[in-house]
Amino acid sequence: MLEGARSIGMPTFESNNGRMMEGAGGASLVDMLTRDGKRQSIFRAYTFPYMDRPNLTVLSNALVTRLTFEGSRATGVELSYQGQTYRLRANLEVVLSLGAIHTPKVLMQSGIGDQAELQRLGIPLLQHLPGVGKNFQDHPAFGCVWECAETLDARNTMCEATFFWRSKTGIDTPDLQTCQAEIPFSSAENAARFGMPPSGRSLFGGVVRPKSRGRIRLTGPILRTPFRLRLISSRSRTTCKLQ
């Protein structure tokens, strides 16, 4: 893939981070977090080795429902765990890191968001912050699969190389990213419809500068069944609408 990129004048880099992402684009091998030939999740690499530390507690299947406050200062979280409601108080700070959907959801359930939206749901307002849940972006992607005539076993960690490039001239920064994978890879819907070859390679293309903007809205103040996650997270009914 890198040789093909160079043949059409696309610059190649030693890393896909830094200059390549921040500049005019290019191609490189992909930086992967691996150990003993296996890709590692952030949890497996950075948290699991320290699970025996007395100052670290990880709760599985816990549902964070809202933040707790004293005045306008966050003091902890309220969560549902094993059928009971708990309040955990922080000695120093609260870090809310639940992703692009669950973070605004918990903020809104805690009374932080657009005043009209919260009043519509009967959630007491703590702070009018109309940007919560707004400017939601999604990155559509698709997989192109090539069937191999002979069986080729996966040798590495699936995604081997990538490039950032422009779909047309006249734009300053790349708006497309493509990853090369050493397995047949596509969406579940396409795999069910067309089937996947027993052996193949894939190019996975994605849009990195989507123009669509949407918002995250609560459908009601009632909390729903928890999502099964390793770390404390949450899930209630939300809607995602792209305009």
Side-chain angles (χ1 to χ4, degrees):
M1 180 173 174
L2 298 185
E3 291 174 358
R6 282 191 289 264
S7 72
I8 61 170
M10 185 183 299
T12 57
F13 295 81
E14 293 183 356
S15 171
N16 59 293
N17 295 307
R19 291 186 302 145
M20 178 175 145
M21 282 191 178
E22 297 167 2
S28 75
L29 298 180
V30 176
D31 290 335
M32 285 289 178
L33 188 64
T34 61
R35 178 178 296 168
D36 299 328
K38 295 181 180 180
R39 294 175 64 173
Q40 302 291 302
S41 67
I42 298 299
F43 173 84
R44 179 64 59 177
Y46 291 97
T47 305
F48 186 78
Y50 304 106
M51 290 287 286
D52 58 347
R53 286 190 175 184
N55 62 341
L56 172 64
T57 300
V58 176
L59 295 180
S60 300
N61 304 322
L63 172 66
V64 172
T65 55
R66 57 180 59 87
L67 296 165
T68 59
F69 290 88
E70 290 182 359
S72 60
R73 187 177 189 274
T75 58
V77 296
E78 180 179 285
L79 60 89
S80 176
Y81 182 62
Q82 295 184 346
Q84 300 187 50
T85 300
Y86 295 89
R87 287 196 169 191
L88 303 183
R89 183 178 179 85
N91 292 327
L92 294 176
E93 63 181 347
V94 178
V95 179
L96 192 63
S97 180
L98 303 177
I101 294 177
H102 296 305
T103 298
K105 186 209 70 172
V106 171
L107 287 173
M108 289 186 285
Q109 289 178 173
S110 305
I112 300 174
D114 184 85
Q115 182 175 2
E117 279 288 304
L118 298 181
Q119 287 178 343
R120 178 180 66 87
L121 300 172
I123 299 176
L125 179 70
L126 179 69
Q127 181 175 345
H128 173 57
L129 204 62
V132 174
K134 301 292 181 63
N135 199 36
F136 181 80
Q137 302 176 42
D138 201 2
H139 301 271
F142 57 91
C144 295
V145 179
W146 282 263
E147 183 176 6
C148 296
E150 57 185 276
T151 301
L152 298 176
D153 295 330
R155 299 166 299 171
N156 300 298
T157 55
M158 189 178 84
C159 186
E160 293 302 301
T162 187
F163 67 79
F164 286 84
W165 206 240
R166 297 174 294 278
S167 62
K168 58 184 178 180
T169 58
I171 57 178
D172 297 330
T173 57
D175 58 345
L176 299 174
Q177 180 188 12
T178 297
C179 297
Q180 175 263 330
E182 57 177 8
I183 61 172
F185 182 81
S186 188
S187 67
E189 292 81 5
N190 280 341
R193 181 179 179 182
F194 301 107
M196 289 290 102
S199 180
R201 295 293 184 266
S202 305
L203 286 178
F204 187 73
V207 177
V208 297
R209 291 173 57 188
K211 295 181 179 180
S212 297
R213 298 293 184 270
R215 61 177 176 171
I216 307 296
R217 300 184 67 187
L218 295 177
T219 58
I222 301 174
L223 304 177
R224 303 293 177 180
T225 305
F227 202 71
R228 291 186 176 272
L229 296 176
R230 290 185 181 275
L231 297 176
I232 297 176
S233 186
S234 56
R235 181 187 185 183
S236 67
R237 287 188 62 197
T238 60
T239 59
C240 307
K241 296 182 179 180
L242 284 177
Q243 304 295 337

